[in-house]
Amino acid sequence: MKIIALGIESTAHTFGVGIIDSKGIVRASINNVYIPEVGGLHPVQVREHHMNNFKEIILKALRSAHISLNQIDLIAFSQSPGLGPVLKIGALIARTLSQLYDIPIVGVNHCIAHVEIGRLMCKVDDPLTLYVSGGNTIVSAFESGRYQIFGETLDLPIGNMLDSFARDAGLTHPGGPKIEQLALNSKNYLPLPYVVKGMDLSFSGLYTATKHLIMAEEFNKKYNLEDIAYSLQETAFAMLTEVTERALAHTKKEEVLLTGGVAANKRLQEMIEYISMEHDAKFHVVPLKYAGDNGVMIAWTGILQYQARGGDELDQTIIKPKERMDNIPIPWRSE
Ligand code: AMP
Ligand code: MG
């Protein structure tokens, strides 16, 4: 039987509402992104933003799908991981709708949702996934019933690091796309810290080094911002590529999926595509609309979860800001 799910994304800057059916047809995708005027994301400000906007976003999504809440069969929400105060808003709205309209509810892990929407949109079955965003940097693949993590950042997520550097350089948020444009104008590589520990990555030393380059006396004499942007991308993306390649060699997966907001970067795509080809794996980039945070990925993963193990009881819908994707069994997939 076909079911229709409404998914609520609320882990960080995006408040998203997606509506999709169990055949994988997207009925609506409305996302509203909070952009800080200065500095990074303050959980309380993001919470206020989501509080002020959620009603409008839900109504817009329902209107766009030409559907009413009575026709929704499942409410899914992002339960983990993310900023506590922000996760709470999504959970509260989901619980309220579930109880008022007597609709089953499921809590979804945001990182798993990125993989599942990627599998759906790119029509891939069993990929190795590089998920790179403002809040996450994870190399994962399905093994032994779970999405195992083969590599991850030990400190800053890649997108956060790019945005922080951009802020120091006087560029507006989000910094990633601006760094990509600047980097196109340079081939002058400045040596920077390259830190891969086992299968994990550390970006904080790299970030600090670029900050020093901006403040140094030689800045705008011996090198410029374009050279730093280029060197930063080459170093950070080579680190990501090394770890992804080793995970690919280990898992022998035949498909590679690149997702998250940073997946938009053409240079990163080029590097990951190159190592995919070297290992005879098919390379896919998740379409931009579904690579960034969105409500559809939560709704879709909610359907998979609900069909495999039913809805959650209310006391199971508590938020889990730190929960890892490899902690969660994936009963909808077989070995
Ligand atoms: P997300 O957290 O998935 O919504 O992705 C947002 C992150 O993606 C921010 O850190 C952006 O700076 C980054 N981003 C977006 N476009 C690009 C790009 N073309 N190159 C590098 N980073 C990007
Ligand atoms: Mg995300």
Side-chain angles (χ1 to χ4, degrees):
M1 197 189 69
K2 191 166 79 183
I3 65 167
I4 302 178
L6 180 146
I8 298 172
E9 159 58 27
S10 175
T11 57
H13 52 21
T14 302
F15 188 86
V17 174
I19 300 175
I20 190 169
D21 67 34
S22 48
K23 298 233 185 281
I25 307 294
V26 176
R27 308 293 188 91
S29 179
I30 307 286
N31 302 298
N32 183 294
V33 182
Y34 169 75
I35 297 180
E37 275 168 34
V38 285
L41 288 184
H42 295 283
V44 173
Q45 286 166 7
V46 187
R47 183 188 69 189
E48 287 309 300
H49 169 266
H50 291 0
M51 279 294 283
N52 292 333
N53 287 287
F54 80 84
K55 182 179 146 204
E56 169 106 29
I57 308 296
I58 293 174
L59 289 177
K60 250 192 192 169
L62 290 167
R63 272 200 297 270
S64 149
H66 305 291
I67 210 174
S68 72
L69 268 168
N70 297 317
Q71 294 165 281
I72 298 289
D73 303 300
L74 179 68
I75 302 282
F77 70 100
S78 50
Q79 185 173 21
S80 65
L83 305 170
V86 183
L87 281 168
K88 268 189 199 159
I89 300 299
L92 178 68
I93 296 163
R95 279 185 222 157
T96 306
L97 291 177
S98 162
Q99 287 178 81
L100 280 178
Y101 291 84
D102 199 17
I103 306 170
I105 183 171
V106 285
V108 166
N109 176 283
H110 175 95
C111 306
I112 292 175
H114 271 291
V115 175
E116 290 302 346
I117 201 67
R119 288 178 65 220
L120 176 73
M121 293 299 166
C122 297
K123 298 187 174 59
V124 299
D125 181 41
D126 185 27
L128 177 84
T129 303
L130 173 60
Y131 164 36
V132 275
S133 71
N136 290 284
T137 305
I138 298 177
V139 178
S140 78
F142 184 72
E143 214 177 83
S144 309
R146 292 179 188 220
Y147 283 115
Q148 307 291 353
I149 295 178
F150 289 94
E152 63 193 314
T153 181
L154 296 167
D155 43 42
L156 298 174
I158 175 80
N160 183 310
M161 188 272 289
L162 294 172
D163 293 340
S164 301
F165 164 73
R167 221 167 17 243
D168 295 339
L171 306 169
T172 53
H173 187 88
K178 282 137 211 157
I179 293 170
E180 179 173 25
Q181 288 311 309
L182 286 168
L184 290 174
N185 301 321
S186 171
K187 283 272 176 257
N188 178 20
Y189 183 78
L190 312 165
L192 288 169
Y194 182 106
V195 184
V196 174
K197 297 182 180 179
M199 287 294 281
D200 294 328
L201 306 134
S202 164
F203 292 110
S204 58
L206 176 56
Y207 166 60
T208 308
T210 57
K211 206 169 169 165
H212 287 158
L213 283 176
I214 299 175
M215 294 187 307
E217 229 174 73
E218 294 83 7
F219 183 49
N220 279 335
K221 292 181 190 134
K222 291 194 177 150
Y223 56 81
N224 59 26
L225 195 57
E226 293 170 344
D227 300 332
I228 307 177
Y230 168 71
S231 310
L232 175 60
Q233 277 202 169
E234 291 302 302
T235 310
F237 295 170
M239 288 164 57
L240 291 168
T241 305
E242 178 187 330
V243 170
T244 306
E245 178 169 24
R246 259 191 284 137
L248 192 55
H250 170 77
T251 59
K252 301 191 170 53
K253 297 289 181 191
E254 290 166 4
E255 296 152 326
V256 175
L257 196 63
L258 178 61
T259 192
V262 185
N265 190 290
K266 293 279 184 297
R267 178 62 180 139
L268 179 62
Q269 291 178 10
E270 185 180 37
M271 286 184 173
I272 302 297
E273 179 167 26
Y274 181 82
I275 54 120
S276 302
M277 272 165 39
E278 292 267 293
H279 290 264
D280 294 323
K282 264 193 106 175
F283 172 68
H284 301 267
V285 187
V286 177
L288 217 55
K289 190 167 175 205
Y290 298 108
D293 294 352
N294 65 87
V296 174
M297 68 183 196
I298 303 298
W300 175 244
T301 310
I303 289 178
L304 298 175
Q305 220 164 285
Y306 180 68
Q307 287 177 332
R309 61 165 172 73
D312 291 342
E313 296 299 326
L314 209 58
D315 64 3
Q316 294 174 300
T317 60
I318 199 150
I319 60 157
K320 298 174 182 170
K322 298 259 179 240
E323 181 153 74
R324 292 166 61 86
M325 71 194 297
D326 57 0
N327 202 31
I328 300 172
I330 308 294
W332 60 88
R333 289 198 55 182
S334 48
E335 292 298 324

